[in-house]
DNA sequence: TTCAATATTTAGACAAAACTAAAAATATGT
DNA sequence: ACATATTTTTAGTTTTGTCTAAATATTGAA
């Protein structure tokens, strides 16, 4: 299994999760910043290997072995991100690029020992769940901050957007995973929300509030 | 710089160290388990990039930038080996294969933070010196156990052969880096040596004794 | 010094993964 | 339903790193 093949499986996994149903060629090309013709080539190869279901012009979906493989790459990615933040003092906006490389290292012992070394974490630094050795994901049951009613109070457990600019915004405004947040008021005009974190009051745009997972 | 290019530079570095002078095509091919014609192709490319000195039929040597690059890869390899043994409970015969992959991860911050996390180690689990951030190697001044005089006593600081079989032999006979070893007697017939480690007396073949670095 | 053995390079081919340009299939709007 | 727009695939090319087979250079022994 090459790195490129692993990246395609990961892409299909993420796209299946976000848009439900069959994943189309252009979506994969956009997601991977490559061309549709390259996607067709690789999709054929992966379907011959039994990792994708594919009929021409009909889009693709992961097979059971394909899903298993995708989850194993995601497990590695998220464990390495956790390692970088917890042990090597990386900030949460720096880890993605390096984890994209580390996720392709092949050694079952390495990843299981790393898991143990980190204390079998359930989520990575962005709050995304880490699959266990068997590919099982812990159910999240979270809601977006933008959808919570006025006066409700909950804990921030994850981010939907993991771009550097969004993570920087959160850092600058001292919003972190684990923070207790109360919704004070919602503006009907632009769907922005007034919140309270500890002693601080903040005003967040809908764009921001709809990228924070709360529990 | 691709992984393959890095592996060639590393190979030339090791061969320059062991056989002195220009390194020939066949030696590189043997070391890398590839064919001489493949070596010629890559050597041309690396010399065009200014990393190797090369004239046809005359063998190769590393340029200054080539040496620097080789040392940076070796630094990464040895730091990862140290990490695997010290933090993830790998044994010293299991680390090489995984480190061969990890050494190609590109991130200066990653490797410098790892160095710091490990406490800036001077040597890897086999006793080989770890180049610092600037590529400086600490001088070793060691001698092979097979060359030490009778009655001398010194500390085992490294292994020359790092094959799994040799490392297993040492583990089985409870010989480890840091052990104090005294030479009791040398057999003129086969150049084997009788030694004392702590309370234990052992008889080592010349083959074994000439693969242990002492200080 | 000359010829045979050895070492090295060249030439040509292949597989992987990408691309461009063009063709074909599907979807959509009126 | 039909023409047009969009999506997807095909065909052919490129780059990287490898290989085999053949050609060429170097070395060394008689």
């Amino acid at each position: 299994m090459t790195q490129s093949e692993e990246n395609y499986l990961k892409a299909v996994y993420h796209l299946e999760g976000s848009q439900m149903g069959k994943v189309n060629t252009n979506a994969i090309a956009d997601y991977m910043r490559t061309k549709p013709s390259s996607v067709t080539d690789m999709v054929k190869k992966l379907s011959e290997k039994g990792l994708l279901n594919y009929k021409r012009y009909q889009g693709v979906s992961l097979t059971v072995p394909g899903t298993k493989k995708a989850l194993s790459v995601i497990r590695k990615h998220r464990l390495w991100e956790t390692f970088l933040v917890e042990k090597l003092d990386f900030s949460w906006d720096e880890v993605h690029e390096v984890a994209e490389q580390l996720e392709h290292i092949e050694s079952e012992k390495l990843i299981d020992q790393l898991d143990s070394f980190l204390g079998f974490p359930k989520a990575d630094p962005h709050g995304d769940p880490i699959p266990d050795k068997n590919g099982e994901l812990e159910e999240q049951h979270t809601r977006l901050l933008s959808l919570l009613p006025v006066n409700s109070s909950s804990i921030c457990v994850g981010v939907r957007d993991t771009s550097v600019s969004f993570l920087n915004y959160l850092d600058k405004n001292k919003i972190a995973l684990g923070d207790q947040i109360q919704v004070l008021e919602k503006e009907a005009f632009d769907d922005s929300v007034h919140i309270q974190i500890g002693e601080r009051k903040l005003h967040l745009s809908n764009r921001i509030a709809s990228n924070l997972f709360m529990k």
Side-chain angles (χ1 to χ4, degrees), chain A:
Chain A
M1 170 106 321
T2 68
Q3 299 196 180
S4 187
E5 289 174 324
E6 290 187 345
N7 287 336
Y8 274 91
L9 293 179
K10 217 176 27 146
V12 175
Y13 182 90
H14 287 307
L15 291 168
E16 267 188 344
S18 67
Q19 49 149 72
M20 291 305 286
K22 290 291 175 68
V23 177
N24 48 313
T25 305
N26 272 358
I28 299 174
D30 284 355
Y31 188 88
M32 301 197 63
R33 291 154 172 223
T34 181
K35 304 296 168 188
S37 55
S38 309
V39 174
T40 300
D41 288 345
M42 183 57 90
V43 148
K44 275 182 188 165
K45 201 210 300 190
L46 291 172
S47 105
E48 272 159 26
K49 292 192 177 190
L51 299 166
L52 290 180
N53 300 116
Y54 168 66
K55 284 205 195 92
R56 353 218 268 326
Y57 298 101
Q58 306 299 134
V60 300
S61 60
L62 287 164
T63 62
V64 170
T67 306
K68 202 178 151 194
K69 184 68 209 178
L71 281 167
S72 118
V73 178
I74 288 165
R75 166 172 160 79
K76 291 195 275 183
H77 184 99
R78 295 184 178 163
L79 281 172
W80 280 116
E81 285 196 343
T82 306
F83 170 73
L84 293 174
V85 167
E86 306 226 322
K87 305 295 184 183
L88 300 193
D89 295 322
F90 275 61
S91 57
W92 67 348
D93 58 303
E94 294 175 313
V95 295
H96 185 74
E97 196 190 359
V98 183
E100 284 288 299
Q101 298 179 62
L102 287 162
E103 73 187 6
H104 301 295
I105 303 293
E106 288 178 55
S107 166
E108 198 173 329
K109 174 159 185 172
L110 172 63
I111 209 63
D112 291 339
Q113 291 293 103
L114 183 65
D115 196 12
S116 159
F117 181 59
L118 296 171
F120 304 100
K122 289 273 188 292
D124 76 12
H126 308 111
D128 295 316
I130 300 176
D132 69 15
K133 204 166 154 46
N134 306 310
E136 306 291 342
L137 278 170
E138 188 141 290
E139 272 302 325
Q140 282 284 77
H141 288 305
T142 59
R143 277 193 296 173
L144 295 178
L145 175 55
S146 56
L147 301 177
L148 294 181
V150 170
N151 276 325
S152 67
S153 187
S154 52
I155 304 238
C156 180
V157 295
V159 290
R160 186 160 72 164
D161 178 351
T162 59
S163 68
V164 170
S165 57
F166 182 56
L167 299 178
N168 277 340
Y169 175 91
L170 297 180
D171 284 343
K172 203 162 57 191
N173 288 279
K174 302 208 183 67
I175 303 172
L177 301 196
D179 287 354
Q180 172 104 20
I181 294 179
Q182 184 175 11
V183 179
L184 300 176
E185 192 185 345
K186 298 172 78 165
E187 300 284 353
F189 174 64
D190 64 356
D191 294 316
S192 61
V193 292
H194 296 265
I195 63 166
Q196 174 125 20
I197 303 185
E199 300 304 303
R200 290 179 300 127
K201 287 178 172 40
L202 288 171
H203 183 196
L204 305 181
S205 71
N206 178 264
R207 173 73 187 284
I208 298 296
S210 56
N211 276 294
L212 290 171
F213 291 118
M214 311 300 298
K215 184 147 94 177

